[in-house]
Amino acid sequence: MKEMKNSLILIFGLGMLLTGSLACKTDDVILTDTNMETNDSTHKDTLSNQLKIRIGSKTFTATLLNNVTVTAFKAKLPMTVSMSELNGNEKLYRFPENLPTNASNPRNIHLGDLMIYGSNTLVLFYQSFPTPYSYTKLGRINDPAGLAAAVAASADGSGSVTVTFELEQI
């Protein structure tokens, strides 16, 4: 009986030791891109979170968030697209493929917001208003003064406007 008690104590002790060591173990390795030099001439600087948005002769700077949708968006840059008009408050462009998204309802759209609607529609808002819809946030224009005028002045007869998106070099 004493041997069984000692065996149980030993097993219990080993179990506690193993549990304690597993509780301290982490398999989550966090790597940070240190922007090391590369010999690849097609390497894009994806570390910058500053985005240049050119509409006609006007250029705006936006600050992008850090999320998987932004990473997928950055991989498409630089790009020049024709953004169509919708509702008198936004310009949109539909990507041919889906982006990873994590949509939520922001309740209010703000002038200069840049978001993804659904999983493939890039939306640039040039008016502020409340919304019942869900979006994945990409970022927003730092100083959106003049954005509505820029999209109006650059619009063709259908309301579409040509917009260039590119990362600022750091």
Side-chain angles (χ1 to χ4, degrees):
M1 185 74 158
K2 186 174 182 178
E3 285 180 24
M4 183 183 241
K5 186 176 178 182
N6 286 343
S7 294
L8 287 174
I9 291 172
L10 180 61
I11 291 171
F12 178 75
L14 287 173
M16 293 300 292
L17 180 65
L18 182 59
T19 302
S21 67
L22 288 176
C24 295
K25 183 179 180 327
T26 178
D27 289 330
D28 298 332
V29 178
I30 298 172
L31 299 177
T32 354
D33 187 344
T34 56
N35 198 21
M36 292 184 216
E37 288 193 29
T38 178
N39 292 330
D40 181 3
S41 61
T42 62
H43 174 71
K44 294 179 185 174
D45 180 4
T46 57
L47 288 179
S48 176
N49 275 352
Q50 296 301 301
L51 178 70
K52 288 194 311 190
I53 303 172
R54 193 169 49 252
I55 304 168
S57 62
K58 187 87 168 141
T59 300
F60 300 90
T61 301
T63 300
L64 296 172
L65 301 173
N66 288 312
N67 62 43
V68 294
T69 311
V70 168
T71 301
F73 175 67
K74 285 179 175 183
K76 299 181 175 310
L77 302 178
M79 68 177 194
T80 299
V81 296
S82 177
M83 298 187 81
S84 56
E85 173 62 35
L86 185 65
N87 301 325
N89 56 24
E90 63 194 81
K91 298 295 181 181
L92 65 91
Y93 169 76
R94 287 192 174 87
F95 289 107
E97 67 284 325
N98 292 339
L99 279 72
T101 58
N102 185 16
S104 64
N105 178 282
R107 291 194 177 104
N108 290 296
I109 299 293
H110 300 283
L111 166 68
D113 282 347
L114 185 64
M115 300 186 188
I116 298 291
Y117 176 75
S119 59
N120 71 337
T121 305
L122 176 66
V123 187
L124 176 61
F125 293 96
Y126 61 89
Q127 298 289 332
S128 297
F129 59 94
T131 184
Y133 299 106
S134 293
Y135 301 88
T136 300
K137 294 180 182 182
L138 295 176
R140 90 184 279 221
I141 293 176
N142 300 337
D143 180 7
L147 178 60
V151 297
S154 300
D156 63 16
S158 69
S160 293
V161 63
T162 299
V163 182
T164 299
F165 297 92
E166 62 185 330
L167 288 175
E168 279 194 357
Q169 297 302 313
I170 56 172

